[in-house]
């Protein structure tokens, strides 16, 4: 953990350390930034602490795009949250004036009994979501950039697309600051503790100590350390995003022609990808889904080896005939996941003053605004009307919690 810190980029002097707040938010990435925005919008005095700068590229929320979809193969219980999230993405665009969400349609491809297809179909059926099941010939005719095998099908939904992570994080932070949140960047929390008698919490940084009535902890890839006492096993994995320039150019991959997709092969390996959304020279982005290597934020290897590029290229080669084409670049990020791949969103089992949110990576970014709303509910009322039973850490704990968690 870092032991030194600078003052935040908001220009707030170190002398302000010690001020009491209604809610302190540790971590101002996707979820923490959204929580700060929702809390500040409710008129609360909010402190936000972040070890890096705003909308940084050191964690999980960067790379230009994240898929958004409704026919959710991970579990049907996510769908109500997705529907609310879509509403909040649109509201965030209106409130911020930023271009954040683009709907391109989404294809979930694989064998009919694959998790990607069968799970998506189950969610669509249970919640009455508009969708189509396409046979191989239908896929090729409507989306000629794809070359499915004879035993593969696809679920297509019009409401799929992508959101822009860096712009979305920045939009939440800008609105939080507009509504009075004290956001401090380059100032990581060194530790936090519940005050004697449970009367609030204390957060310590290199700049001093702060007190707040409530605490929201959104540590991202630092969760295994920051929330070690939570008792839920968390794994951090290095993931790589790749950009290629198609052999025939980017026009066939334009957003109005080429949908986002998740494609599962017979061995259960999933890849995902996007249209060419930033112009003809930016190329087309693709990546493996959950095929990473264990790491920590301190040991993450950011260099991408040629053999990694070739492994991605080989997987694309016979599925999207115009890819891989020419390799352009790659970028690493981190997934932080639980054993069951579901999120953790809850009031801390041992500390009712503390709300925790972690384990989102792999499929969490699309939920960012609704998670912010949920965290604001939990921090202010201790409960939420949103269905979050799936994310309760208590049935998933493997060891007792500690009284104090050091960050």
């Amino acid at each position: 953990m870092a032991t030194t810190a600078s003052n935040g980029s908001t220009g707030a002097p170190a002398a302000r350390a010690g001020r009491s707040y209604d809610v302190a938010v540790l971590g101002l990435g996707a979820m923490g930034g959204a929580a700060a925005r929702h809390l500040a919008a409710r008129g609360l005095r909010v402190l936000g602490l972040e070890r890096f700068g705003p909308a940084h590229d050191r964690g999980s929320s960067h790379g230009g795009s994240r898929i958004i979809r409704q026919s959710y193969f991970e579990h049907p219980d996510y769908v109500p949250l997705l529907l609310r999230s879509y509403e909040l993405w649109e509201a965030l665009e209106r409130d911020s004036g930023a271009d954040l969400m683009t709907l391109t349609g989404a294809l979930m491809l694989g064998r009919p009994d694959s998790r990607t297809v069968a799970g998506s179909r189950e969610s669509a059926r249970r919640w009455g979501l508009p969708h189509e099941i396409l046979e191989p010939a239908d896929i090729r005719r409507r989306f000629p950039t794809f070359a499915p095998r004879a035993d593969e099908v696809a679920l297509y939904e019009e409401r799929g697309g992508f959101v822009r992570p860096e712009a979305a994080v920045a939009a939440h932070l800008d609105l939080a600051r507009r509504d009075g949140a004290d956001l401090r960047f380059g100032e990581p929390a060194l530790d936090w503790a519940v005050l004697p008698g449970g009367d609030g919490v204390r957060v310590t940084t290199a700049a001093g100590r702060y007190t707040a009535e409530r605490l929201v902890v959104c540590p991202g890839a630092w969760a295994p350390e920051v929330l070690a006492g939570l008792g839920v096993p968390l794994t951090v994995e290095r993931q790589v995003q790749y950009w290629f320039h198609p052999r025939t150019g980017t026009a066939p991959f334009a957003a109005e022609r080429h949908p986002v997709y998740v494609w599962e092969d017979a061995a259960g390996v999933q890849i995902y990808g996007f249209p060419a959304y930033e112009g003809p020279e930016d190329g087309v982005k693709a990546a493996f889904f959950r095929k990473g290597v264990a790491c920590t934020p301190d040991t993450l290897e950011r260099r991408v080896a040629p053999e990694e590029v070739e492994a991605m290229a080989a997987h694309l080669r016979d599925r999207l005939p115009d890819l891989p084409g020419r390799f352009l670049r790659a970028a690493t990020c981190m997934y932080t996941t639980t054993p069951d791949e579901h999120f953790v969103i809850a009031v801390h089992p041992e500390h009712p003053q503390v709300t925790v949110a972690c384990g989102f990576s792999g499929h969490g970014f699309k939920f960012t605004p609704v998670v912010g709303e949920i965290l604001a509910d939990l921090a202010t009322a201790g409960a939420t009307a949103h269905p979050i039973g799936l994310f309760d850490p208590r049935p998933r704990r493997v060891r007792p919690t500690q009284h104090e968690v050091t960050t």
Side-chain angles (χ1 to χ4, degrees), residues 56-66 165-166 221-222 236-243 272 285 287-288 290-297 299-304 308 330-336 361-362:
H56 61 81
D57 65 355
R58 311 306 291 175
S60 303
S61 301
H62 59 277
S65 58
R66 292 292 185 274
E166 293 93 340
W222 287 260
V236 179
E237 291 185 351
R238 172 184 178 271
Q239 303 289 337
V240 183
Q241 306 165 79
Y242 303 85
W243 284 261
Y272 66 94
K285 176 182 168 184
F288 287 108
R290 299 195 184 281
K291 195 171 180 278
V293 177
C295 69
T296 70
T299 63
L300 172 66
E301 174 57 70
R302 295 188 179 274
R303 184 185 70 88
V304 177
E308 294 180 281
T332 58
C333 66
M334 291 176 284
Y335 280 9
T336 308
S361 293

Side-chain angles (χ1 to χ4, degrees), residues 74-132:
E74 286 86 347
H75 200 289
D77 287 358
Y78 285 88
V79 173
L81 298 178
L82 281 166
L83 299 179
R84 175 58 177 161
S85 195
Y86 271 70
E87 295 174 349
L88 291 172
W89 280 120
E90 292 171 354
L92 182 61
E93 286 188 312
R94 291 194 300 270
D95 293 344
S96 67
D99 179 15
L100 303 176
M101 182 169 65
T102 300
L103 298 184
T104 62
L107 279 178
M108 302 294 111
L109 301 108
R111 291 180 174 180
D113 61 350
S114 66
R115 181 190 185 200
T116 301
V117 175
S120 299
R121 195 171 192 172
E122 171 61 22
S123 285
R125 286 176 169 174
R126 183 177 301 186
W127 293 101
L129 301 174
H131 68 284
E132 301 174 68

Side-chain angles (χ1 to χ4, degrees), residues 40-358:
R42 299 182 188 191
L44 299 172
R45 295 170 299 164
V46 178
L47 168 68
L49 296 172
E50 167 58 48
R51 69 181 60 228
F52 300 115
H56 61 81
D57 65 355
R58 311 306 291 175
S60 303
S61 301
H62 59 277
S65 58
R66 292 292 185 274
I67 287 177
I68 187 165
R69 51 193 166 88
Q70 296 182 354
S71 300
Y72 217 60
F73 63 78
E74 286 86 347
H75 200 289
D77 287 358
Y78 285 88
V79 173
L81 298 178
L82 281 166
L83 299 179
R84 175 58 177 161
S85 195
Y86 271 70
E87 295 174 349
L88 291 172
W89 280 120
E90 292 171 354
L92 182 61
E93 286 188 312
R94 291 194 300 270
D95 293 344
S96 67
D99 179 15
L100 303 176
M101 182 169 65
T102 300
L103 298 184
T104 62
L107 279 178
M108 302 294 111
L109 301 108
R111 291 180 174 180
D113 61 350
S114 66
R115 181 190 185 200
T116 301
V117 175
S120 299
R121 195 171 192 172
E122 171 61 22
S123 285
R125 286 176 169 174
R126 183 177 301 186
W127 293 101
L129 301 174
H131 68 284
E132 301 174 68
I133 300 298
L134 304 180
E135 297 296 327
D138 301 319
I139 299 168
R140 295 189 190 97
R141 183 180 67 255
R142 290 176 58 174
F143 306 108
T145 46
F146 295 89
R149 290 164 171 76
D151 61 348
E152 293 180 322
V153 298
L155 180 143
Y156 175 73
E157 60 167 295
E158 288 188 355
R159 293 286 288 167
F162 63 90
V163 291
R164 294 166 173 80
E166 293 93 340
V169 173
H172 275 131
L173 295 175
D174 289 345
L175 291 173
R177 188 182 294 107
R178 181 199 68 183
D179 288 337
D182 181 6
L183 306 183
R184 292 165 165 256
F185 300 96
E187 187 176 342
L190 302 179
D191 65 60
W192 65 262
V194 176
L195 295 174
D199 187 22
V201 295
R202 182 191 68 238
V203 179
T204 303
T205 76
R209 289 183 171 180
Y210 306 88
T211 58
E213 293 182 15
R214 305 287 180 183
L215 179 67
V216 176
V217 184
C218 301
W222 287 260
E225 181 180 359
V226 175
L227 295 174
L230 189 62
V232 178
L234 294 161
T235 301
V236 179
E237 291 185 351
R238 172 184 178 271
Q239 303 289 337
V240 183
Q241 306 165 79
Y242 303 85
W243 284 261
F244 297 91
H245 193 278
R247 292 186 302 105
T248 56
T250 56
F253 290 85
E256 62 271 18
R257 300 178 182 178
H258 180 82
V260 299
Y261 63 92
V262 179
W263 199 328
E264 182 176 342
D265 69 13
V269 175
Q270 294 167 299
I271 62 171
Y272 66 94
F274 300 83
Y277 53 85
E278 293 291 357
E281 298 308 314
D282 193 62
V284 176
K285 176 182 168 184
F288 287 108
F289 187 46
R290 299 195 184 281
K291 195 171 180 278
V293 177
C295 69
T296 70
D298 292 331
T299 63
L300 172 66
E301 174 57 70
R302 295 188 179 274
R303 184 185 70 88
V304 177
E307 54 267 29
E308 294 180 281
V309 177
E310 177 52 33
M312 184 78 255
H315 217 80
L316 292 170
R317 198 164 282 128
D318 62 348
R319 290 171 174 82
L320 293 97
D322 287 340
L323 292 178
R326 176 167 50 90
F327 172 66
L328 296 176
R329 68 185 189 280
T332 58
C333 66
M334 291 176 284
Y335 280 9
T336 308
T337 59
T338 60
D340 59 13
E341 298 179 359
H342 296 315
F343 310 153
V344 173
I345 308 174
V347 173
H348 195 291
E350 299 295 326
H351 306 302
Q353 308 88 344
V354 180
T355 298
V356 297
C358 61

